[in-house]
Amino acid sequence: MTLGCARNEVDSEELAARLEAGGWQLTEGTADVVVVNTCGFIQAAKQESIDELLTAAESGAAVVAAGCLAERYGSGLAEALPEAQVLSFDDYANIAGRLDDVLAGRRWAAHEPKDRRRLLPISPAGRPGAGAGHLPGHGIAVIEDLPDGVAPPSGPRVLRRRLGDGVVAPLKIASGCDRRCSFCAIPAFRGSFISRRPDDLVAEAGWLAGHGVRELLLVSENSTSYGKDLGDLRLLEALLPRLAAVPGIDRVRVSYLQPAEVRPGLIEVMTSTAGVATYFDLSFQHASGRVLRAMRRFGDGERFCELISQIRRLAPEAGVRSNFIVGFPGETDADVAELERFLADARLDAIGIFGYSDEDGTEAATLPGQVPADEIAERVEALAALADELMDQRAAERVGETVAVMIEELVEAGGNGGCWRYGGRAAHQAPEVDGSTEVRAGRRLGIGELAAAAVTGSEGVDLIADLIEGPGNGHHGAVG
C-alpha cells in the first residue's frame, strides 16, 4: 500500500523488487504481510497513514510500516502503534530479511529518529561518495538472479518492479532538500539534497520504456537543485534532452521546481526541447512577500508574475501549476487579499489550496500570531472556491488550441464507424492532479499514443478535443 507522493511510488517499486529478489511474492489476495509505505508530510497525511496501518492489521496479516511516517517517528510510532513493525530507510536494503523475521514471529527494535541531514557534508560538493544512509529510489544496482520483469536481460540492473501498468511513471532524479522552509519537516527525515547520476537515470528511463512507459514524471524534493552536488548546477538542462531521446519515451515532465532557482536557461530548454512538456510545477506557497519571508522563502506576487511572463513569452501554451498555504502564522486579511490578486493575475492552470498545520520540530510551530483553526478553514474554503473558478476560466481559454494528448484509457468504443472516446492528458496536465482531456476520434487509437487534437470545449478543468487526422499523428502505443 503506497500513500503520499509520486516519490513514494518509486520507493515502493524498489521495495517490491528487493522483496521479489528475496523470494517473496506480491499477492492480490490474502497476504502474510502487508507493507504500508506511509506519508509523514502534514497532519492529514499522517492520519491517513495510521488509518491504513490499522485497517491492514484488521485483515489478520502482519503489518510493516515503511516510508516517511515510519522514518520520521521510528520508536515513537512503534510504541503508539504496536500493531505494526516499523522500518527505517536504512532497513530497505534488507527488506526481504525483515519480512522473513516478521513471518518467523521475530520483532526488532524500531530505530530512534535522527536528523538525516547530518549524514552528509554541509557542502554539496563533498557529498558524492559520502555515506548518506540508504537513499530510497536511487535504485541502480547489480543483483544476481532477479526474476523476469524486474530487470532487462542485459545492461544495468534497475532495482525496481513496476506495481502498475500505466503509460506514465515517476523517475526519481534526487532525494532530500537543502532549503529550510520554516513550515516543512521533510529535510530532517529525508536528508540533505543528493542527485542521482545522469547515466543511471537514462538507464532507468530505458528500462521503464521497455516496460510500457511513454511519459516520465521527474520527481524529487527540489528538481531545480539537480546537479549542484555533482558540480554542475545546469545539469538538468543537459539531462532533459537525453531523457527525451530515450527510445520509446514520448514525453518528459518535470515537477517540484523552486521559483527562486528557476534559471533562464532551464526555461529555454523546457520550452524548446522536443519531447519535454512545457509544464512548470512552481512551488510558490504564497504571494505576500511578508508571509514568504516568515516561511523562509523568496519572492512575492510581482516577481512570480514576471517569472510566469518569462515562461509564456517563450511558450504561450505552457502549463503552470502551484500550491499555496493559507493561515500561516501572522497571515492577515491583507495578505490573503494579496494572494487573491495574484491568483487572478497569474492565470494558473492548476491551483492547490492547503490549510496550514503545525509540524513537529519546525520553526513555524513556534511563531507568534497563530491563526485559529476555524479562521484557517474559512480562508481555505474561500480561496479554494476562487481557485476553482479561475482554473475553469483558464481551461476555457484553451478552446481552439492544438494539444498533444497522451492517450491513457478507452472511455467508449466507437464500432460501426462511430465515435471513439479516449481519456488522456495534454502537456499542461500532470497525472492525477491537473485534470484530463477527452479525445473524440473517428478511429481506434492506441493506449500510450501521443495524439494531436483540437480543443473544442471544457468542463471545469477538463478539456474536450477532437483528433486531428493527418499523416504522422500518433505514435507508439498498443492498440486501445
Side-chain angles (χ1 to χ4, degrees), residues 221-460:
E221 275 76 23
N222 177 8
S223 296
T224 34
S225 281
Y226 177 73
K228 71 175 185 179
D229 52 319
L230 300 179
D232 186 355
L233 192 54
R234 294 180 173 81
L235 197 54
L236 184 58
E237 287 96 303
L239 175 66
L240 288 173
R242 291 187 64 187
L243 293 175
V246 171
I249 296 299
D250 290 331
R251 188 154 68 195
V252 178
R253 183 184 303 277
V254 188
S255 62
Y256 304 106
L257 301 173
Q258 286 289 343
E261 299 179 27
V262 175
R263 306 168 292 278
L266 178 59
I267 296 174
E268 183 176 353
V269 168
M270 290 180 62
T271 55
S272 64
T273 304
V276 175
T278 50
Y279 174 82
F280 291 79
D281 175 18
L282 297 165
S283 178
F284 290 136
Q285 303 298 353
H286 212 282
S288 163
R290 193 186 67 82
V291 173
L292 286 164
R293 295 300 88 73
M295 290 179 170
R296 304 289 185 197
R297 297 178 65 83
F298 303 94
D300 52 37
E302 182 179 354
R303 295 179 187 179
F304 294 160
C305 281
E306 176 54 31
L307 174 59
I308 294 170
S309 295
Q310 290 178 36
I311 292 167
R312 288 179 173 153
R313 279 195 291 269
L314 294 176
E317 79 289 353
V320 183
R321 74 156 287 122
S322 191
N323 294 325
F324 300 88
I325 296 174
V326 180
F328 189 82
E331 182 189 66
T332 65
D333 290 342
D335 295 320
V336 174
E338 190 169 351
L339 176 55
E340 290 173 342
R341 288 193 296 271
F342 168 73
L343 292 176
D345 293 340
R347 296 170 49 242
L348 303 177
D349 292 274
I351 303 167
I353 303 293
F354 298 91
Y356 169 80
S357 63
D358 283 338
E359 288 301 315
D360 299 336
T362 62
E363 179 187 355
T366 67
L367 292 177
Q370 296 282 330
V371 181
D374 57 348
E375 178 65 20
I376 292 176
E378 290 178 9
R379 293 179 185 181
V380 168
E381 182 178 5
L383 280 162
L386 174 63
D388 287 342
E389 179 182 350
L390 294 171
M391 289 188 292
D392 293 354
Q393 291 175 6
R394 177 63 180 142
E397 290 177 6
R398 291 191 177 274
V399 173
E401 288 186 6
T402 296
V403 293
V405 182
M406 178 66 67
I407 303 298
E408 294 184 317
E409 63 175 344
L410 172 64
V411 176
E412 183 179 3
N416 298 322
C419 178
W420 296 75
R421 294 193 301 124
Y422 289 88
R425 291 173 300 98
H428 70 280
Q429 296 170 324
E432 300 182 7
V433 294
D434 293 343
S436 60
T437 299
E438 179 183 290
V439 176
R440 301 177 298 195
R443 61 177 175 85
R444 202 169 187 176
L445 302 179
I447 304 302
E449 185 173 327
L450 195 61
V455 179
T456 59
S458 64
E459 295 181 354

Side-chain angles (χ1 to χ4, degrees), residues 7 9-18 92-93 133-143 146 149-152 155-162 170-175 190 194-197 199-208 219:
R7 300 186 294 273
E9 293 178 27
V10 179
D11 298 352
S12 286
E13 293 192 348
E14 176 198 326
L15 291 175
R18 290 183 179 277
Y92 282 21
H134 186 77
L135 294 171
H138 286 227
I140 293 287
V142 177
I143 295 184
L146 281 178
V150 176
R157 295 289 185 179
V158 175
L159 200 53
R160 189 166 177 175
R161 181 195 190 278
R162 291 208 71 197
L171 176 64
K172 183 180 284 192
I173 64 172
S175 290
R190 278 289 184 178
I194 187 164
S195 306
R196 295 181 63 192
R197 300 280 180 180
D199 288 349
D200 290 351
L201 294 170
V202 172
E204 188 165 329
W207 180 86
L208 288 167
V219 298

Side-chain angles (χ1 to χ4, degrees), residues 18-91:
R18 290 183 179 277
L19 285 168
E20 197 163 56
W24 284 82
Q25 294 180 341
L26 294 173
T27 178
E28 302 254 344
T30 303
D32 297 304
V33 183
V34 175
V35 179
V36 182
N37 190 355
T38 61
C39 180
F41 181 34
I42 58 176
Q43 185 57 44
K46 289 186 282 189
Q47 187 59 55
E48 181 186 12
S49 294
I50 291 170
D51 291 344
E52 290 294 346
L53 289 165
L54 292 172
T55 298
E58 291 172 359
S59 72
V63 179
V64 171
C68 292
L69 186 72
E71 180 63 41
R72 185 175 180 183
Y73 292 103
S75 59
L77 179 63
E79 182 178 351
L81 204 69
E83 294 89 345
Q85 298 207 60
V86 177
L87 290 178
S88 168
F89 293 149
D90 294 332
D91 291 314

